[in-house]
Amino acid sequence: MNKLRILHLEDDLIDAELIQLMLVKNGLECEILLAKTHSEYLAALDEGNFDLILSDSSVPGFSGQAAFETAQQKCPGVPFILVSATVNDREAAVYLDRGALDYISKKWKTSKFTTN
């Protein structure tokens, strides 16, 4: 079975590592391309061939909404999941209504994270 190819827009390296740990802990074999900036994200989308896109709600100079809209244009049909500590349920519902697959809160920002 091929590994799941994931594009992950995230400027916080600790958050990126925690998400990767969670995926591995849950048995997902994946190859993650981390884009830390707007330009890295756009270049990765141009490469394409992703099975899933994970995106923080913002990186400096680039919003989650812009990341979502760009992904829909450049990679239509690729599932998009917003991963954020700052988006509330109402804002997340807007993403879901517009076609995002899901929204995940960064609960580890406010609670103890364990890998057991």
Side-chain angles (χ1 to χ4, degrees), residues 9 41 45 53 55-57 62-76 78-82 94-102:
L9 175 62
Y41 181 73
L45 287 175
I53 298 171
S55 176
D56 191 4
S57 60
F62 196 53
S63 70
Q65 182 65 34
F68 176 61
E69 291 170 358
T70 304
Q72 285 187 313
Q73 293 168 359
K74 293 185 176 243
C75 299
V78 175
F80 184 97
I81 298 176
L82 182 69
V94 172
Y95 282 90
L96 297 173
D97 288 343
R98 293 184 180 161
L101 178 65
D102 206 350

PDB file of all heavy atoms in Angstrom, residues 9 41 45 53 55-57 62-76 78-82 94-102:
ATOM      1  N   LEU A   9       0.306  22.855   5.763  1.00  0.00           N
ATOM      2  CA  LEU A   9       0.670  24.268   5.918  1.00  0.00           C
ATOM      3  C   LEU A   9       0.691  24.591   7.407  1.00  0.00           C
ATOM      4  O   LEU A   9      -0.346  24.603   8.067  1.00  0.00           O
ATOM      5  CB  LEU A   9      -0.337  25.169   5.191  1.00  0.00           C
ATOM      6  CG  LEU A   9      -0.133  26.679   5.363  1.00  0.00           C
ATOM      7  CD1 LEU A   9       1.215  27.120   4.792  1.00  0.00           C
ATOM      8  CD2 LEU A   9      -1.270  27.448   4.701  1.00  0.00           C
ATOM      9  N   TYR A  41       3.826  26.795   0.235  1.00  0.00           N
ATOM     10  CA  TYR A  41       2.512  26.176   0.037  1.00  0.00           C
ATOM     11  C   TYR A  41       2.101  26.247  -1.437  1.00  0.00           C
ATOM     12  O   TYR A  41       1.681  25.247  -2.013  1.00  0.00           O
ATOM     13  CB  TYR A  41       1.495  26.882   0.938  1.00  0.00           C
ATOM     14  CG  TYR A  41       0.084  26.349   0.860  1.00  0.00           C
ATOM     15  CD1 TYR A  41      -0.260  25.123   1.424  1.00  0.00           C
ATOM     16  CD2 TYR A  41      -0.923  27.103   0.262  1.00  0.00           C
ATOM     17  CE1 TYR A  41      -1.564  24.649   1.382  1.00  0.00           C
ATOM     18  CE2 TYR A  41      -2.229  26.636   0.221  1.00  0.00           C
ATOM     19  CZ  TYR A  41      -2.539  25.413   0.783  1.00  0.00           C
ATOM     20  OH  TYR A  41      -3.830  24.946   0.743  1.00  0.00           O
ATOM     21  N   LEU A  45       1.461  23.110  -3.972  1.00  0.00           N
ATOM     22  CA  LEU A  45       0.197  22.910  -4.690  1.00  0.00           C
ATOM     23  C   LEU A  45       0.432  22.772  -6.191  1.00  0.00           C
ATOM     24  O   LEU A  45      -0.253  21.997  -6.855  1.00  0.00           O
ATOM     25  CB  LEU A  45      -0.768  24.062  -4.414  1.00  0.00           C
ATOM     26  CG  LEU A  45      -1.406  24.110  -3.026  1.00  0.00           C
ATOM     27  CD1 LEU A  45      -2.238  25.381  -2.878  1.00  0.00           C
ATOM     28  CD2 LEU A  45      -2.252  22.879  -2.759  1.00  0.00           C
ATOM     29  N   ILE A  53      -4.831  17.703   2.360  1.00  0.00           N
ATOM     30  CA  ILE A  53      -4.191  18.963   2.735  1.00  0.00           C
ATOM     31  C   ILE A  53      -4.645  19.305   4.144  1.00  0.00           C
ATOM     32  O   ILE A  53      -5.841  19.341   4.436  1.00  0.00           O
ATOM     33  CB  ILE A  53      -4.566  20.098   1.766  1.00  0.00           C
ATOM     34  CG1 ILE A  53      -4.084  19.765   0.358  1.00  0.00           C
ATOM     35  CG2 ILE A  53      -3.984  21.429   2.251  1.00  0.00           C
ATOM     36  CD1 ILE A  53      -4.585  20.711  -0.720  1.00  0.00           C
ATOM     37  N   SER A  55      -4.189  22.362   7.050  1.00  0.00           N
ATOM     38  CA  SER A  55      -3.789  23.759   7.071  1.00  0.00           C
ATOM     39  C   SER A  55      -4.094  24.422   8.393  1.00  0.00           C
ATOM     40  O   SER A  55      -5.201  24.299   8.921  1.00  0.00           O
ATOM     41  CB  SER A  55      -4.509  24.526   5.961  1.00  0.00           C
ATOM     42  OG  SER A  55      -4.193  25.912   6.021  1.00  0.00           O
ATOM     43  N   ASP A  56      -3.112  25.148   8.899  1.00  0.00           N
ATOM     44  CA  ASP A  56      -3.338  26.024  10.040  1.00  0.00           C
ATOM     45  C   ASP A  56      -4.257  27.148   9.572  1.00  0.00           C
ATOM     46  O   ASP A  56      -4.405  27.390   8.374  1.00  0.00           O
ATOM     47  CB  ASP A  56      -1.993  26.592  10.503  1.00  0.00           C
ATOM     48  CG  ASP A  56      -2.065  27.295  11.845  1.00  0.00           C
ATOM     49  OD1 ASP A  56      -3.131  27.295  12.480  1.00  0.00           O
ATOM     50  OD2 ASP A  56      -1.041  27.854  12.260  1.00  0.00           O
ATOM     51  N   SER A  57      -4.876  27.855  10.512  1.00  0.00           N
ATOM     52  CA  SER A  57      -5.794  28.930  10.135  1.00  0.00           C
ATOM     53  C   SER A  57      -5.060  30.177   9.661  1.00  0.00           C
ATOM     54  O   SER A  57      -5.652  31.024   9.004  1.00  0.00           O
ATOM     55  CB  SER A  57      -6.723  29.288  11.296  1.00  0.00           C
ATOM     56  OG  SER A  57      -5.958  29.705  12.405  1.00  0.00           O
ATOM     57  N   PHE A  62      -0.679  35.026   5.287  1.00  0.00           N
ATOM     58  CA  PHE A  62      -1.541  34.122   4.520  1.00  0.00           C
ATOM     59  C   PHE A  62      -2.582  33.520   5.461  1.00  0.00           C
ATOM     60  O   PHE A  62      -2.228  32.928   6.476  1.00  0.00           O
ATOM     61  CB  PHE A  62      -0.684  33.025   3.898  1.00  0.00           C
ATOM     62  CG  PHE A  62      -1.318  32.245   2.793  1.00  0.00           C
ATOM     63  CD1 PHE A  62      -1.883  32.867   1.685  1.00  0.00           C
ATOM     64  CD2 PHE A  62      -1.338  30.870   2.841  1.00  0.00           C
ATOM     65  CE1 PHE A  62      -2.444  32.133   0.652  1.00  0.00           C
ATOM     66  CE2 PHE A  62      -1.897  30.118   1.804  1.00  0.00           C
ATOM     67  CZ  PHE A  62      -2.450  30.758   0.712  1.00  0.00           C
ATOM     68  N   SER A  63      -3.839  33.657   5.114  1.00  0.00           N
ATOM     69  CA  SER A  63      -4.911  33.157   5.975  1.00  0.00           C
ATOM     70  C   SER A  63      -5.308  31.729   5.616  1.00  0.00           C
ATOM     71  O   SER A  63      -5.070  31.266   4.502  1.00  0.00           O
ATOM     72  CB  SER A  63      -6.140  34.054   5.843  1.00  0.00           C
ATOM     73  OG  SER A  63      -6.738  33.887   4.567  1.00  0.00           O
ATOM     74  N   GLY A  64      -5.959  31.076   6.547  1.00  0.00           N
ATOM     75  CA  GLY A  64      -6.503  29.746   6.291  1.00  0.00           C
ATOM     76  C   GLY A  64      -7.541  29.775   5.189  1.00  0.00           C
ATOM     77  O   GLY A  64      -7.631  28.859   4.376  1.00  0.00           O
ATOM     78  N   GLN A  65      -8.330  30.848   5.157  1.00  0.00           N
ATOM     79  CA  GLN A  65      -9.339  31.000   4.108  1.00  0.00           C
ATOM     80  C   GLN A  65      -8.674  31.071   2.734  1.00  0.00           C
ATOM     81  O   GLN A  65      -9.112  30.422   1.787  1.00  0.00           O
ATOM     82  CB  GLN A  65     -10.178  32.259   4.357  1.00  0.00           C
ATOM     83  CG  GLN A  65     -11.270  32.468   3.342  1.00  0.00           C
ATOM     84  CD  GLN A  65     -12.343  31.382   3.378  1.00  0.00           C
ATOM     85  OE1 GLN A  65     -12.669  30.852   4.431  1.00  0.00           O
ATOM     86  NE2 GLN A  65     -12.874  31.050   2.232  1.00  0.00           N
ATOM     87  N   ALA A  66      -7.595  31.845   2.628  1.00  0.00           N
ATOM     88  CA  ALA A  66      -6.875  31.938   1.355  1.00  0.00           C
ATOM     89  C   ALA A  66      -6.240  30.597   0.996  1.00  0.00           C
ATOM     90  O   ALA A  66      -6.246  30.190  -0.173  1.00  0.00           O
ATOM     91  CB  ALA A  66      -5.813  33.030   1.426  1.00  0.00           C
ATOM     92  N   ALA A  67      -5.725  29.885   1.993  1.00  0.00           N
ATOM     93  CA  ALA A  67      -5.132  28.564   1.749  1.00  0.00           C
ATOM     94  C   ALA A  67      -6.194  27.602   1.227  1.00  0.00           C
ATOM     95  O   ALA A  67      -5.953  26.838   0.287  1.00  0.00           O
ATOM     96  CB  ALA A  67      -4.503  28.021   3.030  1.00  0.00           C
ATOM     97  N   PHE A  68      -7.383  27.656   1.822  1.00  0.00           N
ATOM     98  CA  PHE A  68      -8.490  26.791   1.411  1.00  0.00           C
ATOM     99  C   PHE A  68      -8.929  27.103  -0.024  1.00  0.00           C
ATOM    100  O   PHE A  68      -9.061  26.210  -0.852  1.00  0.00           O
ATOM    101  CB  PHE A  68      -9.650  26.952   2.392  1.00  0.00           C
ATOM    102  CG  PHE A  68     -10.886  26.186   2.016  1.00  0.00           C
ATOM    103  CD1 PHE A  68     -10.864  24.810   1.905  1.00  0.00           C
ATOM    104  CD2 PHE A  68     -12.076  26.849   1.779  1.00  0.00           C
ATOM    105  CE1 PHE A  68     -12.006  24.096   1.570  1.00  0.00           C
ATOM    106  CE2 PHE A  68     -13.223  26.155   1.444  1.00  0.00           C
ATOM    107  CZ  PHE A  68     -13.188  24.778   1.332  1.00  0.00           C
ATOM    108  N   GLU A  69      -9.147  28.373  -0.308  1.00  0.00           N
ATOM    109  CA  GLU A  69      -9.591  28.773  -1.647  1.00  0.00           C
ATOM    110  C   GLU A  69      -8.555  28.422  -2.712  1.00  0.00           C
ATOM    111  O   GLU A  69      -8.905  27.943  -3.798  1.00  0.00           O
ATOM    112  CB  GLU A  69      -9.907  30.271  -1.667  1.00  0.00           C
ATOM    113  CG  GLU A  69     -11.142  30.609  -0.862  1.00  0.00           C
ATOM    114  CD  GLU A  69     -11.349  32.102  -0.660  1.00  0.00           C
ATOM    115  OE1 GLU A  69     -10.508  32.917  -1.124  1.00  0.00           O
ATOM    116  OE2 GLU A  69     -12.362  32.460  -0.025  1.00  0.00           O
ATOM    117  N   THR A  70      -7.284  28.617  -2.398  1.00  0.00           N
ATOM    118  CA  THR A  70      -6.221  28.282  -3.346  1.00  0.00           C
ATOM    119  C   THR A  70      -6.166  26.783  -3.587  1.00  0.00           C
ATOM    120  O   THR A  70      -6.002  26.334  -4.722  1.00  0.00           O
ATOM    121  CB  THR A  70      -4.863  28.799  -2.832  1.00  0.00           C
ATOM    122  OG1 THR A  70      -4.967  30.206  -2.591  1.00  0.00           O
ATOM    123  CG2 THR A  70      -3.761  28.546  -3.840  1.00  0.00           C
ATOM    124  N   ALA A  71      -6.321  26.006  -2.526  1.00  0.00           N
ATOM    125  CA  ALA A  71      -6.323  24.547  -2.668  1.00  0.00           C
ATOM    126  C   ALA A  71      -7.487  24.087  -3.540  1.00  0.00           C
ATOM    127  O   ALA A  71      -7.328  23.197  -4.382  1.00  0.00           O
ATOM    128  CB  ALA A  71      -6.391  23.880  -1.295  1.00  0.00           C
ATOM    129  N   GLN A  72      -8.653  24.699  -3.358  1.00  0.00           N
ATOM    130  CA  GLN A  72      -9.812  24.330  -4.178  1.00  0.00           C
ATOM    131  C   GLN A  72      -9.570  24.628  -5.652  1.00  0.00           C
ATOM    132  O   GLN A  72     -10.012  23.873  -6.515  1.00  0.00           O
ATOM    133  CB  GLN A  72     -11.060  25.064  -3.696  1.00  0.00           C
ATOM    134  CG  GLN A  72     -11.627  24.512  -2.413  1.00  0.00           C
ATOM    135  CD  GLN A  72     -12.952  25.154  -2.055  1.00  0.00           C
ATOM    136  OE1 GLN A  72     -13.101  26.366  -2.090  1.00  0.00           O
ATOM    137  NE2 GLN A  72     -13.919  24.325  -1.702  1.00  0.00           N
ATOM    138  N   GLN A  73      -8.874  25.720  -5.931  1.00  0.00           N
ATOM    139  CA  GLN A  73      -8.591  26.084  -7.318  1.00  0.00           C
ATOM    140  C   GLN A  73      -7.525  25.195  -7.943  1.00  0.00           C
ATOM    141  O   GLN A  73      -7.670  24.742  -9.068  1.00  0.00           O
ATOM    142  CB  GLN A  73      -8.139  27.544  -7.406  1.00  0.00           C
ATOM    143  CG  GLN A  73      -9.214  28.543  -7.066  1.00  0.00           C
ATOM    144  CD  GLN A  73      -8.667  29.951  -6.883  1.00  0.00           C
ATOM    145  OE1 GLN A  73      -7.467  30.184  -6.985  1.00  0.00           O
ATOM    146  NE2 GLN A  73      -9.551  30.881  -6.587  1.00  0.00           N
ATOM    147  N   LYS A  74      -6.440  24.960  -7.201  1.00  0.00           N
ATOM    148  CA  LYS A  74      -5.293  24.249  -7.763  1.00  0.00           C
ATOM    149  C   LYS A  74      -5.392  22.731  -7.645  1.00  0.00           C
ATOM    150  O   LYS A  74      -4.813  22.017  -8.450  1.00  0.00           O
ATOM    151  CB  LYS A  74      -3.990  24.738  -7.119  1.00  0.00           C
ATOM    152  CG  LYS A  74      -3.652  26.164  -7.474  1.00  0.00           C
ATOM    153  CD  LYS A  74      -2.298  26.545  -6.917  1.00  0.00           C
ATOM    154  CE  LYS A  74      -1.923  27.922  -7.365  1.00  0.00           C
ATOM    155  NZ  LYS A  74      -0.725  27.929  -8.185  1.00  0.00           N
ATOM    156  N   CYS A  75      -6.087  22.254  -6.639  1.00  0.00           N
ATOM    157  CA  CYS A  75      -6.198  20.813  -6.395  1.00  0.00           C
ATOM    158  C   CYS A  75      -7.643  20.446  -6.074  1.00  0.00           C
ATOM    159  O   CYS A  75      -7.933  19.950  -4.965  1.00  0.00           O
ATOM    160  CB  CYS A  75      -5.288  20.384  -5.249  1.00  0.00           C
ATOM    161  SG  CYS A  75      -3.540  20.682  -5.508  1.00  0.00           S
ATOM    162  N   PRO A  76      -8.544  20.690  -6.998  1.00  0.00           N
ATOM    163  CA  PRO A  76      -9.946  20.375  -6.695  1.00  0.00           C
ATOM    164  C   PRO A  76     -10.109  18.891  -6.390  1.00  0.00           C
ATOM    165  O   PRO A  76      -9.472  18.046  -7.002  1.00  0.00           O
ATOM    166  CB  PRO A  76     -10.679  20.778  -7.976  1.00  0.00           C
ATOM    167  CG  PRO A  76      -9.647  20.849  -9.036  1.00  0.00           C
ATOM    168  CD  PRO A  76      -8.344  21.132  -8.365  1.00  0.00           C
ATOM    169  N   VAL A  78      -9.173  17.391  -3.659  1.00  0.00           N
ATOM    170  CA  VAL A  78      -8.286  16.920  -2.599  1.00  0.00           C
ATOM    171  C   VAL A  78      -8.876  17.375  -1.266  1.00  0.00           C
ATOM    172  O   VAL A  78      -9.127  18.563  -1.067  1.00  0.00           O
ATOM    173  CB  VAL A  78      -6.850  17.474  -2.771  1.00  0.00           C
ATOM    174  CG1 VAL A  78      -5.974  17.075  -1.588  1.00  0.00           C
ATOM    175  CG2 VAL A  78      -6.243  16.971  -4.080  1.00  0.00           C
ATOM    176  N   PRO A  79      -9.125  16.450  -0.347  1.00  0.00           N
ATOM    177  CA  PRO A  79      -9.713  16.821   0.945  1.00  0.00           C
ATOM    178  C   PRO A  79      -8.844  17.838   1.688  1.00  0.00           C
ATOM    179  O   PRO A  79      -7.618  17.741   1.695  1.00  0.00           O
ATOM    180  CB  PRO A  79      -9.775  15.498   1.707  1.00  0.00           C
ATOM    181  CG  PRO A  79      -9.729  14.447   0.654  1.00  0.00           C
ATOM    182  CD  PRO A  79      -8.900  15.010  -0.458  1.00  0.00           C
ATOM    183  N   PHE A  80      -9.507  18.800   2.318  1.00  0.00           N
ATOM    184  CA  PHE A  80      -8.847  19.882   3.054  1.00  0.00           C
ATOM    185  C   PHE A  80      -9.358  19.861   4.483  1.00  0.00           C
ATOM    186  O   PHE A  80     -10.568  19.879   4.718  1.00  0.00           O
ATOM    187  CB  PHE A  80      -9.195  21.224   2.398  1.00  0.00           C
ATOM    188  CG  PHE A  80      -8.513  22.424   3.006  1.00  0.00           C
ATOM    189  CD1 PHE A  80      -7.363  22.935   2.429  1.00  0.00           C
ATOM    190  CD2 PHE A  80      -9.033  23.047   4.125  1.00  0.00           C
ATOM    191  CE1 PHE A  80      -6.745  24.055   2.967  1.00  0.00           C
ATOM    192  CE2 PHE A  80      -8.423  24.162   4.677  1.00  0.00           C
ATOM    193  CZ  PHE A  80      -7.275  24.673   4.088  1.00  0.00           C
ATOM    194  N   ILE A  81      -8.426  19.820   5.437  1.00  0.00           N
ATOM    195  CA  ILE A  81      -8.785  19.849   6.855  1.00  0.00           C
ATOM    196  C   ILE A  81      -8.099  21.045   7.503  1.00  0.00           C
ATOM    197  O   ILE A  81      -6.878  21.198   7.424  1.00  0.00           O
ATOM    198  CB  ILE A  81      -8.375  18.551   7.579  1.00  0.00           C
ATOM    199  CG1 ILE A  81      -9.118  17.359   6.975  1.00  0.00           C
ATOM    200  CG2 ILE A  81      -8.649  18.658   9.082  1.00  0.00           C
ATOM    201  CD1 ILE A  81      -8.716  16.016   7.554  1.00  0.00           C
ATOM    202  N   LEU A  82      -8.885  21.885   8.143  1.00  0.00           N
ATOM    203  CA  LEU A  82      -8.375  23.034   8.875  1.00  0.00           C
ATOM    204  C   LEU A  82      -7.974  22.579  10.277  1.00  0.00           C
ATOM    205  O   LEU A  82      -8.750  21.905  10.954  1.00  0.00           O
ATOM    206  CB  LEU A  82      -9.457  24.110   8.969  1.00  0.00           C
ATOM    207  CG  LEU A  82      -9.053  25.394   9.678  1.00  0.00           C
ATOM    208  CD1 LEU A  82      -8.022  26.160   8.845  1.00  0.00           C
ATOM    209  CD2 LEU A  82     -10.271  26.260   9.928  1.00  0.00           C
ATOM    210  N   VAL A  94     -18.237  27.569   8.520  1.00  0.00           N
ATOM    211  CA  VAL A  94     -18.154  28.221   7.211  1.00  0.00           C
ATOM    212  C   VAL A  94     -17.241  27.411   6.280  1.00  0.00           C
ATOM    213  O   VAL A  94     -17.572  27.182   5.120  1.00  0.00           O
ATOM    214  CB  VAL A  94     -17.664  29.680   7.350  1.00  0.00           C
ATOM    215  CG1 VAL A  94     -17.385  30.300   5.989  1.00  0.00           C
ATOM    216  CG2 VAL A  94     -18.682  30.507   8.127  1.00  0.00           C
ATOM    217  N   TYR A  95     -16.097  26.967   6.808  1.00  0.00           N
ATOM    218  CA  TYR A  95     -15.196  26.132   6.003  1.00  0.00           C
ATOM    219  C   TYR A  95     -15.911  24.848   5.564  1.00  0.00           C
ATOM    220  O   TYR A  95     -15.820  24.435   4.415  1.00  0.00           O
ATOM    221  CB  TYR A  95     -13.939  25.755   6.802  1.00  0.00           C
ATOM    222  CG  TYR A  95     -12.916  26.845   6.905  1.00  0.00           C
ATOM    223  CD1 TYR A  95     -12.936  27.755   7.962  1.00  0.00           C
ATOM    224  CD2 TYR A  95     -11.904  26.976   5.962  1.00  0.00           C
ATOM    225  CE1 TYR A  95     -11.979  28.750   8.073  1.00  0.00           C
ATOM    226  CE2 TYR A  95     -10.946  27.962   6.069  1.00  0.00           C
ATOM    227  CZ  TYR A  95     -10.992  28.849   7.126  1.00  0.00           C
ATOM    228  OH  TYR A  95     -10.043  29.833   7.228  1.00  0.00           O
ATOM    229  N   LEU A  96     -16.598  24.233   6.499  1.00  0.00           N
ATOM    230  CA  LEU A  96     -17.295  22.980   6.194  1.00  0.00           C
ATOM    231  C   LEU A  96     -18.386  23.199   5.153  1.00  0.00           C
ATOM    232  O   LEU A  96     -18.542  22.392   4.233  1.00  0.00           O
ATOM    233  CB  LEU A  96     -17.871  22.365   7.468  1.00  0.00           C
ATOM    234  CG  LEU A  96     -16.830  21.967   8.523  1.00  0.00           C
ATOM    235  CD1 LEU A  96     -17.527  21.534   9.805  1.00  0.00           C
ATOM    236  CD2 LEU A  96     -15.904  20.897   8.008  1.00  0.00           C
ATOM    237  N   ASP A  97     -19.117  24.304   5.265  1.00  0.00           N
ATOM    238  CA  ASP A  97     -20.169  24.614   4.294  1.00  0.00           C
ATOM    239  C   ASP A  97     -19.598  24.852   2.901  1.00  0.00           C
ATOM    240  O   ASP A  97     -20.263  24.598   1.898  1.00  0.00           O
ATOM    241  CB  ASP A  97     -20.969  25.846   4.724  1.00  0.00           C
ATOM    242  CG  ASP A  97     -21.884  25.574   5.901  1.00  0.00           C
ATOM    243  OD1 ASP A  97     -22.150  24.385   6.198  1.00  0.00           O
ATOM    244  OD2 ASP A  97     -22.331  26.551   6.535  1.00  0.00           O
ATOM    245  N   ARG A  98     -18.362  25.327   2.846  1.00  0.00           N
ATOM    246  CA  ARG A  98     -17.732  25.628   1.548  1.00  0.00           C
ATOM    247  C   ARG A  98     -16.969  24.446   0.964  1.00  0.00           C
ATOM    248  O   ARG A  98     -16.385  24.563  -0.102  1.00  0.00           O
ATOM    249  CB  ARG A  98     -16.810  26.832   1.688  1.00  0.00           C
ATOM    250  CG  ARG A  98     -17.591  28.106   1.970  1.00  0.00           C
ATOM    251  CD  ARG A  98     -16.707  29.296   2.013  1.00  0.00           C
ATOM    252  NE  ARG A  98     -17.499  30.490   2.281  1.00  0.00           N
ATOM    253  CZ  ARG A  98     -17.001  31.615   2.733  1.00  0.00           C
ATOM    254  NH1 ARG A  98     -15.708  31.712   2.971  1.00  0.00           N
ATOM    255  NH2 ARG A  98     -17.785  32.645   2.952  1.00  0.00           N
ATOM    256  N   GLY A  99     -16.955  23.320   1.699  1.00  0.00           N
ATOM    257  CA  GLY A  99     -16.366  22.125   1.123  1.00  0.00           C
ATOM    258  C   GLY A  99     -15.178  21.524   1.838  1.00  0.00           C
ATOM    259  O   GLY A  99     -14.636  20.512   1.397  1.00  0.00           O
ATOM    260  N   ALA A 100     -14.738  22.130   2.947  1.00  0.00           N
ATOM    261  CA  ALA A 100     -13.644  21.516   3.705  1.00  0.00           C
ATOM    262  C   ALA A 100     -14.134  20.187   4.283  1.00  0.00           C
ATOM    263  O   ALA A 100     -15.311  20.039   4.622  1.00  0.00           O
ATOM    264  CB  ALA A 100     -13.181  22.431   4.835  1.00  0.00           C
ATOM    265  N   LEU A 101     -13.234  19.229   4.378  1.00  0.00           N
ATOM    266  CA  LEU A 101     -13.598  17.915   4.901  1.00  0.00           C
ATOM    267  C   LEU A 101     -13.884  17.960   6.393  1.00  0.00           C
ATOM    268  O   LEU A 101     -14.836  17.361   6.881  1.00  0.00           O
ATOM    269  CB  LEU A 101     -12.488  16.904   4.603  1.00  0.00           C
ATOM    270  CG  LEU A 101     -12.701  15.488   5.119  1.00  0.00           C
ATOM    271  CD1 LEU A 101     -13.894  14.846   4.428  1.00  0.00           C
ATOM    272  CD2 LEU A 101     -11.454  14.656   4.908  1.00  0.00           C
ATOM    273  N   ASP A 102     -13.046  18.705   7.137  1.00  0.00           N
ATOM    274  CA  ASP A 102     -13.205  18.722   8.581  1.00  0.00           C
ATOM    275  C   ASP A 102     -12.439  19.889   9.181  1.00  0.00           C
ATOM    276  O   ASP A 102     -11.673  20.576   8.502  1.00  0.00           O
ATOM    277  CB  ASP A 102     -12.706  17.407   9.188  1.00  0.00           C
ATOM    278  CG  ASP A 102     -13.364  17.059  10.521  1.00  0.00           C
ATOM    279  OD1 ASP A 102     -14.079  17.905  11.086  1.00  0.00           O
ATOM    280  OD2 ASP A 102     -13.161  15.929  10.985  1.00  0.00           O
TER     281      ASP A 102
END
